[in-house]
Amino acid sequence: MRNIVMLGVQGSGKGTQAEMLAEKFSVSTVSTGRLFRSRIEEGTELGREIAPYVERGDLVPKDIVCRVVADWMDAPSARKGFILDGFPRNVAQAEALTEMLAENGRTLSDVVYIRLSDEEAMRRLSGRRVCANRDCETKFHVDLHPSKRDPNRCDRCGSELVHRSDDRSEAISRRLAIYGSETKPLVEYYRERGLLREVDGEQSIAEVFKSIMEKFRE
Ligand code: ADP
Ligand code: ZN
């Protein structure tokens, strides 16, 4: 069974690759960031609690994240394998994940790491526009990859494109700093455990996917 974690800096394209892999392996995928944004929009109690963290680009407290992820993983759809995008984000979360899985006799099978330089991450994030439809959230870039039919509408579903509040320069720097100090150590953490499948993120979407599939065949 494939129980996969996606690792990579913001802008590395891990969400896109997560969806492509989920289809390939017929497993379900979840983005914690997307789950949180939906809760915030719905205005639930949880949403109101996490909103300030997400807006600033800070990590949401561990207990909340773990509860949300555990609920998602308990659903029947995730029992046949899963791909996590955005969790774990630090060693404490990684250990919580191992425990969560062990409780149900499961383990992680692979960690896909998409490598990207900080400069390229900054460049991709600062011009990023995201489809406002939570079921789509397709990402575009004003220069690198604009929406073709209408620069303000999603090519895939026609919804409006927005500039995410945490894609503004202050929050971007914050997110990249947190990535460097908290999340990046997970690369070595998972390498030591023999789970890492590392690919170069500075290629086209199709090429990155091809590299990932090659790593799975090795
Ligand atoms: P990005 O990875 O581009 O920063 P995401 O959509 O993955 O965007 O996450 C958006 C925000 O959601 C994060 O900045 C953070 O506030 C929150 N978040 C997502 N996943 C986690 C997590 N595992 N732990 C804590 N906070 C999280
Ligand atoms: Zn869309």
Side-chain angles (χ1 to χ4, degrees), residues 68-156:
V68 169
V69 174
D71 281 350
W72 183 82
M73 285 203 309
D74 275 341
S77 54
R79 295 253 152 206
K80 298 191 284 293
F82 59 77
I83 302 180
L84 297 175
D85 164 21
F87 180 90
R89 257 177 151 85
N90 56 28
V91 172
Q93 292 185 6
E95 288 177 345
L97 173 63
T98 306
E99 267 172 46
M100 245 182 248
L101 291 173
E103 276 168 23
N104 301 297
R106 296 191 277 184
T107 54
L108 216 54
S109 59
D110 315 88
V111 175
V112 173
Y113 171 46
I114 307 177
R115 197 176 55 232
L116 192 75
S117 68
D118 283 356
E119 300 77 66
E120 181 63 13
M122 189 55 136
R123 194 164 78 103
R124 289 187 186 180
L125 289 180
S126 48
R128 188 158 86 165
R129 296 293 180 275
V130 184
C131 172
N133 172 2
R134 286 288 163 253
D135 294 325
C136 177
E137 280 206 351
T138 299
K139 290 160 177 98
F140 298 89
H141 188 285
V142 285
D143 311 312
L144 305 173
H145 169 49
S147 184
K148 293 199 187 74
R149 272 175 296 163
D150 173 342
N152 300 310
R153 302 232 152 242
C154 174
D155 272 342
R156 188 157 147 201

Side-chain angles (χ1 to χ4, degrees), residues 152-218:
N152 300 310
R153 302 232 152 242
C154 174
D155 272 342
R156 188 157 147 201
C157 77
S159 301
E160 192 196 350
L161 297 184
V162 293
H163 192 180
R164 249 167 63 180
S165 58
D166 61 350
D167 277 347
R168 302 192 188 268
S169 66
E170 227 182 76
I172 293 179
S173 322
R174 203 180 176 88
R175 283 154 64 213
L176 292 180
I178 295 175
Y179 174 81
S181 61
E182 301 248 343
T183 314
K184 193 104 186 282
L186 288 179
V187 173
E188 292 316 314
Y189 178 92
Y190 284 125
R191 199 195 307 278
E192 282 163 13
R193 285 158 181 77
L195 294 174
L196 209 70
R197 298 178 186 277
E198 179 172 348
V199 299
D200 174 12
E202 264 160 73
Q203 314 177 75
S204 71
I205 292 175
E207 283 163 344
V208 173
F209 187 65
K210 201 167 145 246
S211 306
I212 296 174
M213 290 317 294
E214 277 163 13
K215 292 283 170 187
F216 272 101
R217 277 190 287 269
E218 272 173 12

Side-chain angles (χ1 to χ4, degrees), residues 19-32:
E19 281 178 20
M20 293 165 81
L21 276 178
E23 193 166 331
K24 184 87 187 175
F25 292 139
S26 305
V27 297
S28 51
T29 182
V30 71
S31 148
T32 44

